């Protein structure tokens, strides 16, 4: 979106005096990006970055407040990331899948609002078939991909499942009853 905005500003050269953003942290929550890249790019084009909800004072104090605001935004982004990873780690420790379910399974919401992974009956057959056929030694990855496609294995959009996805299925330890998260292996509680 930033690139599109910059392209738009370049096409409208000398027609745009300012870009108004709800809050400055909506354009970036990274102080290096904001101060080292975005702000200089806009200034070079003669475009002011203004906030609809924050003071737009063009003084040393105004710069200080913008710097403090951007620092808090970056801090908040990092705290959210840390909490997210901690929550995903806790989920993995409990044997639950902390990310998108692999092919053959699907993510669902339970009545209490929590999420879990269950077998996806539409694709589980093909995953089992992939393991059985590949284990027979009669199929290369390419011929296995073709065979599964001929048997009806498709992407959600109805296309051929790529060879790389079949390879990922065959190498994914999740299908052995364990999952990997942050380079640690956890036993799953998923069927």
């Amino acid at each position: 979106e930033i690139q599109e905005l910059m392209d738009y500003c370049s096409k409208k050269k000398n027609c745009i005096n300012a870009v108004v953003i709800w809050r400055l942290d909506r354009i970036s929550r990274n102080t290096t990006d904001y101060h080292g890249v975005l702000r200089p790019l806009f200034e070079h084009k003669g475009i002011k970055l203004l906030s609809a909800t924050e003071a737009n004072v063009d003084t040393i104090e105004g710069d200080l407040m913008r710097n403090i605001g951007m620092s808090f935004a970056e801090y908040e982004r990092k705290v959210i990331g840390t909490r997210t990873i901690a929550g995903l780690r806790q989920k993995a420790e409990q044997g639950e899948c902390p990310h998108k379910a692999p092919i053959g399974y699907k993510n669902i919401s339970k009545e209490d609002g929590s999420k879990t992974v269950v077998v996806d009956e539409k694709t589980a057959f093909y995953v089992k078939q992939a393991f059985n056929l590949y284990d027979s030694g009669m199929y290369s990855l390419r011929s296995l991909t073709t065979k599964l496609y001929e048997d009806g294995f498709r992407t959600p959009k109805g296309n051929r499942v790529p060879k790389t996805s079949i390879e990922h299925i065959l190498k994914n330890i999740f299908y052995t009853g364990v999952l990997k998260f942050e380079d640690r292996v956890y036993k799953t509680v998923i069927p």
Side-chain angles (χ1 to χ4, degrees):
E1 298 298 323
I2 293 291
Q3 191 60 50
E4 285 183 30
L5 177 62
M6 297 306 293
D7 290 344
Y8 179 82
C9 290
S10 293
K11 289 175 186 170
K12 302 287 184 179
K13 197 172 188 173
N14 300 324
C15 295
I16 299 173
N17 297 322
V19 171
V20 181
I21 304 159
W22 181 251
R23 290 176 48 99
L24 289 180
D25 65 6
R26 299 294 85 206
I27 199 163
S28 177
R29 287 186 167 202
N30 182 302
T31 55
T32 304
D33 285 348
Y34 176 75
H35 292 297
V37 179
L38 296 172
R39 192 169 166 195
L41 279 172
F42 282 108
E43 285 176 355
H44 178 72
K45 295 179 183 299
I47 299 171
K48 289 187 175 206
L49 279 174
L50 302 175
S51 170
T53 59
E54 300 161 312
N56 293 302
V57 183
D58 204 12
T59 63
I60 297 170
E61 291 80 9
D63 280 345
L64 174 64
M65 294 311 293
R66 277 188 291 281
N67 291 341
I68 291 170
M70 290 307 295
S71 293
F72 271 112
E74 183 172 14
Y75 167 76
E76 180 182 27
R77 178 182 56 85
K78 288 179 179 179
V79 166
I80 290 168
T82 300
R83 288 179 183 153
T84 299
I85 292 296
L88 295 175
R89 185 181 308 113
Q90 181 180 19
K91 198 169 189 177
E93 289 169 354
Q94 294 170 350
E96 297 179 28
C97 188
H99 38 69
K100 186 174 186 269
I103 297 172
Y105 293 89
K106 60 184 175 182
N107 298 86
I108 63 162
S109 295
K110 295 193 274 187
E111 287 181 19
D112 65 1
S114 64
K115 298 183 187 219
T116 191
V117 173
V118 297
V119 173
D120 179 4
E121 298 300 332
K122 292 179 184 175
T123 57
F125 167 79
Y126 297 107
V127 171
K128 290 176 189 173
Q129 190 75 346
F131 279 103
N132 291 333
L133 293 173
Y134 194 71
D135 190 45
S136 75
M138 297 174 51
Y139 291 88
S140 67
L141 213 47
R142 177 167 298 178
S143 63
L144 177 61
T145 302
T146 300
K147 171 73 170 137
L148 291 169
Y149 179 72
E150 289 169 355
D151 289 349
F153 191 31
R154 304 283 192 276
T155 66
K157 291 185 178 180
N159 300 320
R160 177 188 291 250
V161 175
K163 183 177 82 166
T164 54
S165 294
I166 303 298
E167 182 178 21
H168 181 72
I169 288 170
L170 296 172
K171 291 181 176 180
N172 190 343
I173 66 171
F174 188 87
Y175 300 105
T176 67
V178 296
L179 62 92
K180 191 172 186 180
F181 182 74
E182 291 185 315
D183 295 328
R184 289 190 58 201
V185 176
Y186 302 92
K187 185 165 177 42
T188 66
V189 294
I190 298 154

